[in-house]
Amino acid sequence: YTITARLDPASRTLTGEALLTWRNTAAIPATSLRFHLYFNAWRNTRSTWMREAALAGHTDLAARPQEDWGWIDVTSLKLVGTSGAPVDVTSSLRFIAPDDGNLDDRTVAEVPLSAAVAPGETVNVQIAWSSRVPRTFARTGAIGNYYFLGHWFPKIGVFEDAGWNSHQFHFATEFFSDFGIYDVRLTVPAGWVVGATGAERGRRDEGDRTTTHHYYAEDVHDFAWTTSPDYVERTERFGHEGLPPVAMRLLLQPEHVRQAERHFIATRAALRYYGEWFGPYPYANLTIVDPAWQSGADGMEYPMLFTAGARSLAPRRVAEPEDVTVHEIGHQFWYGVIAT
């Protein structure tokens, strides 16, 4: 994925463009492409996610005010060949519900292909979209000037020998996707701190009170990011005999600055012992995010980035934020490396 995205906090909107180069690794030809549009789970109360939440007893979610809801709309979808103009297939994009037949669910979209992608072949897809970031329903979203953005872009499903493995967004769910390369540029208001999957390769002042942050990651199966003007940044380095070094970056809420060393101690311990027991952490960077109070973003894992647990009062006898930190680093291995 080569992605450019711009966040407008005033309207809580996110617009983006991506060039996806997708290779068919299955043994059968692909006659269509399927994409996850996860933000549509919170478009209205009729989505499969919201219906299942109600069945699980979370009826309060449906009473959220209108400004809390979010969505994602694909505005353009084009197939790009080696010669000639891109082929616009936006009008053929349709929503499907392969799991439950819910005609109101918009979390999976499919576009048919006039020419199949044979095993081993690649296809290039230009995608443009606009979305509204929700007030957090399930770990991704915004509160005030705190944004935590997971499953935020149109993400292609996994094509296997049996066909597409691309489930709808369910209330009790995990996420499955292919490993790949992410080259991402994120534009946010100037002065806002950004943390993301991968390593930062540069920043550029756009001259309109915004800054573009460039992140790059290889061999990851997802890309998540966060931004806020309130983050306090701390950096340290993990090093242990027999294990590769890791640059640790901690993004703290201002009221939790005194907890910085506790986050780093827990991170070092987890990287050491998971590394000794099961194999070294394979990436050079790891970002630890201290989520905002009431953000609903605590304890969530993504490749090379995770959220710990936020506590204003953290006495030494209480193992927080340590327990959440160690748990989420475990997911860097089982989810991040081994995959879901």
Side-chain angles (χ1 to χ4, degrees), residues 270-321:
L271 288 174
R272 173 187 172 181
Y273 288 107
Y274 284 126
E276 290 179 340
W277 295 338
F278 307 114
Y281 177 74
Y283 308 111
N285 300 82
L286 180 61
T287 298
I288 308 120
V289 177
D290 175 33
W293 184 60
Q294 292 187 328
S295 65
D298 299 45
M300 189 58 187
E301 71 279 354
Y302 296 92
M304 304 172 70
L305 176 145
F306 67 89
T307 59
R311 284 179 70 98
S312 292
L313 298 177
R316 288 289 177 179
R317 67 181 181 274
V318 178
E320 291 187 24

Side-chain angles (χ1 to χ4, degrees), residues 3 5 14 39 72 129 131 149-154 184 186 223-225:
I3 301 175
L14 183 67
F39 271 22
I72 179 170
W129 74 92
S131 57
L149 298 160
H151 313 298
W152 55 282
F153 60 97
V184 182
L186 304 164
F223 186 101
W225 61 290

Side-chain angles (χ1 to χ4, degrees), residues 58-81:
H58 296 269
T59 54
D60 57 310
L61 294 174
R64 290 279 191 90
Q66 185 62 37
E67 60 266 22
D68 281 5
W69 297 78
W71 56 83
I72 179 170
D73 291 321
V74 175
T75 55
S76 175
L77 189 68
K78 298 178 180 179
L79 303 180
V80 184

Side-chain angles (χ1 to χ4, degrees), residues 19-20 78-87 122-127:
L19 175 63
L20 166 67
K78 298 178 180 179
L79 303 180
V80 184
T82 56
S83 61
V87 178
T122 61
V123 62
N124 298 310
V125 188
Q126 282 184 347
I127 313 166

Side-chain angles (χ1 to χ4, degrees), residues 181-220:
I181 298 170
Y182 288 81
D183 191 354
V184 182
R185 289 169 173 81
L186 304 164
T187 301
V188 300
W192 285 43
V193 178
V194 171
T197 295
E200 187 173 27
R201 287 197 160 179
R203 304 180 190 180
R204 183 179 69 242
D205 184 1
E206 301 294 353
D208 59 355
R209 298 184 179 179
T210 66
T211 302
T212 297
H213 300 249
H214 181 196
Y215 278 83
Y216 182 85
E218 292 185 355
D219 282 342
V220 294

Side-chain angles (χ1 to χ4, degrees), residues 28 43 125:
I28 62 173
R43 193 180 195 98
V125 188

Side-chain angles (χ1 to χ4, degrees), residues 2-311:
T2 301
I3 301 175
T4 60
R6 175 179 289 266
L7 176 68
D8 179 9
S11 59
R12 219 164 72 196
T13 56
L14 183 67
T15 55
E17 295 181 351
L19 175 63
L20 166 67
T21 299
W22 179 79
R23 182 166 62 93
N24 180 5
T25 60
I28 62 173
T31 59
S32 66
L33 300 176
R34 290 188 181 181
F35 294 89
H36 294 284
L37 302 173
Y38 288 111
F39 271 22
N40 281 339
W42 309 299
R43 193 180 195 98
N44 53 48
T45 59
R46 301 185 301 277
S47 72
T48 291
W49 196 96
M50 287 298 298
R51 289 181 179 184
E52 292 175 351
L55 288 173
H58 296 269
T59 54
D60 57 310
L61 294 174
R64 290 279 191 90
Q66 185 62 37
E67 60 266 22
D68 281 5
W69 297 78
W71 56 83
I72 179 170
D73 291 321
V74 175
T75 55
S76 175
L77 189 68
K78 298 178 180 179
L79 303 180
V80 184
T82 56
S83 61
V87 178
D88 193 329
V89 294
T90 313
S91 61
S92 61
L93 191 73
R94 62 189 181 96
F95 299 106
I96 61 172
D99 299 333
D100 63 3
N102 179 5
L103 298 179
D104 291 319
D105 194 69
R106 297 186 178 186
T107 57
V108 178
E110 182 176 53
V111 59
L113 298 173
S114 58
V117 183
E121 289 186 346
T122 61
V123 62
N124 298 310
V125 188
Q126 282 184 347
I127 313 166
W129 74 92
S130 63
S131 57
R132 176 172 169 79
V133 180
R135 169 69 175 91
T136 308
F137 283 78
R139 294 208 169 97
T140 182
I143 180 171
N145 283 335
Y146 170 85
Y147 284 78
F148 189 82
L149 298 160
H151 313 298
W152 55 282
F153 60 97
K155 185 164 66 169
I156 197 163
V158 178
F159 193 62
E160 301 176 321
D161 292 350
W164 282 104
N165 186 336
S166 53
H167 294 282
Q168 296 162 245
F169 194 2
H170 294 276
F171 182 72
T173 194
E174 292 292 350
F175 306 97
F176 182 51
S177 53
D178 283 316
F179 286 84
I181 298 170
Y182 288 81
D183 191 354
V184 182
R185 289 169 173 81
L186 304 164
T187 301
V188 300
W192 285 43
V193 178
V194 171
T197 295
E200 187 173 27
R201 287 197 160 179
R203 304 180 190 180
R204 183 179 69 242
D205 184 1
E206 301 294 353
D208 59 355
R209 298 184 179 179
T210 66
T211 302
T212 297
H213 300 249
H214 181 196
Y215 278 83
Y216 182 85
E218 292 185 355
D219 282 342
V220 294
H221 54 65
D222 205 351
F223 186 101
W225 61 290
T226 182
T227 186
S228 171
D230 302 321
Y231 278 135
V232 177
E233 180 181 2
R234 296 286 186 268
T235 59
E236 292 193 13
R237 193 167 184 83
F238 167 78
H240 187 75
E241 184 178 357
L243 295 173
V246 179
M248 301 181 295
R249 186 180 184 220
L250 173 62
L251 303 180
L252 281 164
Q253 300 301 318
E255 64 269 25
H256 299 156
V257 168
R258 289 185 296 176
Q259 299 175 24
E261 188 57 25
R262 294 180 63 174
H263 284 82
F264 283 127
I265 290 172
T267 300
R268 282 194 177 91
L271 288 174
R272 173 187 172 181
Y273 288 107
Y274 284 126
E276 290 179 340
W277 295 338
F278 307 114
Y281 177 74
Y283 308 111
N285 300 82
L286 180 61
T287 298
I288 308 120
V289 177
D290 175 33
W293 184 60
Q294 292 187 328
S295 65
D298 299 45
M300 189 58 187
E301 71 279 354
Y302 296 92
M304 304 172 70
L305 176 145
F306 67 89
T307 59
R311 284 179 70 98

